[in-house]
């Protein structure tokens, strides 16, 4: 009897403890849900999580090819067709320097951490344009497009600038190849068999919500970010090679080789067009977080 009584007491105390624990868990889930709604509302009115990819060079071309077709009567005919495509060239080197500022927004009781990135992207290209190996089916090379992928272009502040060989270029909407979110500029058609050498600089101010990602699309990538916010969270495909975090903010540096990253192949494999950063999982990412969120505490 005494043993049965003890078992019943333990069972009863366990049930009594589970009730307030369930209430606490429900409170936490509700607060997390409300905060997620606050983040989504801020993202709709400003810009969402941001991702940068590029610069990337696209060179469209069209080939005339002769194929043999068989009609319904079994007669074979030679038919000339036009096949189109686009060569994609990534930078030989990509250097990114950026300063991240925290611009918190309040939605009810919840603070959403909006950021503003002042960034300079410097890239060098030595793109070898393939030669036409069959003069009987001439190839036409179109205007080259120099594009920068931006996940949410609503976050652009002011007018960004793009320069190639110290010459300003006119920016247009879209990444430039089968759509894609971002900006691009049009260059003159390159000569077949030539090497297109470019020194490119892209300068912009970009606003986003909570998370920033940058795709290391160059053969050699050096990315440096600094901020006065002292609580960064580093995640994504690569952690910083070096970092300094203190009460006055943080400074982080990444050095990534294309041999260690699948960013280029992920960019090319993006469904519906070229990646704008969100499809590149081998990207560096940093979030400005609040280490003590009082609204998820109980």
């Amino acid at each position: 009897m005494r043993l049965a009584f003890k078992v019943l007491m333990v069972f009863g105390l366990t049930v009594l403890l589970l009730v307030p624990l369930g209430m606490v868990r429900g409170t936490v889930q509700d607060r997390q849900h409300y905060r997620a709604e606050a983040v989504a509302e801020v993202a709709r009115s400003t810009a969402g999580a941001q991702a940068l990819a590029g610069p990337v060079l696209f060179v469209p071309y069209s080939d005339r090819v002769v194929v043999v077709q068989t009609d319904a009567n079994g007669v074979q005919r030679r038919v000339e067709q036009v096949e189109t495509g686009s060569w994609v060239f990534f930078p030989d080197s990509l250097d990114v320097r950026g300063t991240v500022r925290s611009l918190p927004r309040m939605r009810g009781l919840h603070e959403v951490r909006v950021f503003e990135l002042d960034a300079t992207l410097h890239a060098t290209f030595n793109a070898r344009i393939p030669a036409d190996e069959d003069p009987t089916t001439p190839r036409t090379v179109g205007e080259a497009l120099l594009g920068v992928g931006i996940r949410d272009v609503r976050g652009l502040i002011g007018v960004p600038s793009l320069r190639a060989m110290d010459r300003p270029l006119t920016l247009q909407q879209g990444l430039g190849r089968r759509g894609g979110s971002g900006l691009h500029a049009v260059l003159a058609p390159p000569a077949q068999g030539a090497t297109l050498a470019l020194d490119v600089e892209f300068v912009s101010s970009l606003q986003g919500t909570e998370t920033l990602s940058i795709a290391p699309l160059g053969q050699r990538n050096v990315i440096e970010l600094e901020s006065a916010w002292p609580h960064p969270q580093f995640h994504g495909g690569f952690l910083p090679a070096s970092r300094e975090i203190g009460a006055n903010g943080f400074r982080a540096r990444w050095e990534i080789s294309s041999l260690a990253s699948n960013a280029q192949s992920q960019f090319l494999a993006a469904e519906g067009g070229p990646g704008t950063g969100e499809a590149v999982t081998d990207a560096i990412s940093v979030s400005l977080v609040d280490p003590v969120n009082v609204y998820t505490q109980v």
Side-chain angles (χ1 to χ4, degrees):
M1 288 292 294
R2 182 173 297 179
L3 179 61
F5 177 74
K6 290 182 178 179
V7 171
L8 289 175
M9 285 292 293
V10 171
F11 178 76
L13 290 173
T14 302
V15 172
L16 289 176
L17 288 173
L18 287 176
V19 172
L21 286 175
M23 296 173 64
V24 168
R25 184 179 297 109
T27 301
V28 172
Q29 291 175 346
D30 286 344
R31 292 181 179 182
Q32 290 175 337
H33 175 71
Y34 294 145
R35 188 182 188 283
E37 288 184 341
V39 172
E41 182 181 349
V42 171
R44 285 194 297 269
S45 59
T46 55
Q50 285 290 10
L52 284 172
V56 179
L57 184 64
F58 306 101
V59 181
Y61 66 89
S62 59
D63 276 329
R64 295 183 179 275
V65 296
V66 177
V67 297
V68 177
Q69 295 182 344
T70 304
D71 60 19
N73 298 321
V75 179
Q76 293 184 340
R77 295 182 301 168
R78 294 171 60 86
V79 179
E80 186 179 272
Q81 296 181 344
V82 177
E83 294 183 354
T84 61
S86 182
W87 297 304
V88 181
F89 299 99
F90 296 105
D92 289 348
S93 66
L94 175 63
D95 290 280
V96 181
R97 301 289 186 273
T99 300
V100 185
R101 291 190 297 276
S102 175
L103 305 172
R105 299 287 188 269
M106 298 299 298
R107 287 297 183 272
L109 297 176
H110 298 280
E111 183 178 83
V112 180
R113 201 148 298 281
V114 175
F115 65 85
E116 185 175 309
L117 169 70
D118 292 334
T120 299
L121 284 67
H122 182 261
T124 58
F125 292 86
N126 283 285
R128 175 70 177 178
I129 308 300
D132 191 354
E133 299 178 353
D134 188 358
T136 61
T137 55
R139 171 186 295 158
T140 301
V141 178
E143 295 177 322
L145 304 177
L146 188 61
V148 178
I150 301 173
R151 174 183 289 178
D152 193 342
V153 294
R154 295 179 305 144
L156 285 170
I157 301 173
V159 180
S161 67
L162 180 63
R163 302 177 67 89
M165 308 306 291
D166 288 330
R167 181 172 62 89
L169 302 176
T170 301
L171 285 167
Q172 302 179 34
Q173 289 185 338
L175 184 55
R177 173 178 173 259
R178 298 181 312 196
S181 178
L183 304 170
H184 75 275
V186 180
L187 306 178
Q192 299 186 46
T195 298
L196 189 58
L198 293 174
D199 191 6
V200 178
E201 183 183 75
F202 177 73
V203 180
S204 69
S205 292
L206 184 66
Q207 200 172 82
T209 302
E210 297 205 332
T211 300
L212 168 68
S213 299
I214 300 176
L217 293 180
Q219 304 299 326
R220 169 189 169 275
N221 304 272
V222 176
I223 303 170
E224 290 188 5
L225 296 176
E226 63 179 8
S227 174
W229 182 250
H231 306 297
Q233 179 183 9
F234 301 111
H235 49 102
F238 299 91
L239 294 178
S242 62
R243 72 184 80 176
E244 299 175 7
I245 303 176
N248 295 325
F250 74 88
R251 180 189 298 269
R253 176 185 174 92
W254 292 259
E255 295 185 26
I256 305 168
S257 167
S258 61
L259 299 176
S261 169
N262 294 317
Q264 294 180 359
S265 59
Q266 292 166 358
F267 181 91
L268 294 173
E271 294 183 2
T276 58
E278 69 273 14
V280 179
T281 58
D282 276 5
I284 69 102
S285 296
V286 60
S287 300
L288 305 184
V289 299
D290 190 344
V292 182
N293 189 342
V294 297
Y295 302 111
T296 59
Q297 295 180 359
V298 177

